[in-house]
Amino acid sequence: MNSSKKGVILVSFGSVAQSYKMPDLMKKKFLETFAHFPEITFLWKYEKDEDNIAHGYDNVITGNWLPQPDLLGNNWQIFS
């Protein structure tokens, strides 16, 4: 979290909507969008590590479980 140049964005669709079940084109569009913001680190809750979905995307970190309260700590902001 501290090594990100301009911040971190957590991408999670909860426990019901699983990212690995998205159509491939949609996953590709997410990754292409993330690539447009190289100084932001994207934490993507992606349920199948074996897909290696973020290979080649240096600013994307995936995990099948992301401890949101631990990640956010006391230093978080909500943008609306």
Side-chain angles (χ1 to χ4, degrees), residues 30-50:
F30 270 98
L31 290 166
E32 289 173 354
T33 301
F34 299 160
H36 284 288
F37 302 94
E39 294 183 335
I40 296 174
T41 301
F42 292 86
L43 301 177
W44 188 5
K45 183 180 170 283
Y46 192 89
E47 298 79 18
K48 283 192 156 188
D49 292 335
E50 61 269 21

Side-chain angles (χ1 to χ4, degrees), residues 1-13:
M1 298 281 287
N2 293 333
S3 65
S4 180
K5 294 176 184 174
K6 290 204 174 180
V8 176
I9 294 177
L10 174 63
V11 180
S12 175
F13 300 101

Side-chain angles (χ1 to χ4, degrees), residues 7 10 12 15 18-19 25 31 34 36-39 41 46 49 53 56 59-62 65-68 71 73:
L10 174 63
S12 175
S15 58
Q18 298 179 331
S19 294
L25 180 60
L31 290 166
F34 299 160
H36 284 288
F37 302 94
E39 294 183 335
T41 301
Y46 192 89
D49 292 335
I53 189 77
N59 66 327
V60 181
I61 300 168
T62 62
W65 181 78
L66 300 174
Q68 294 176 31
L71 291 171

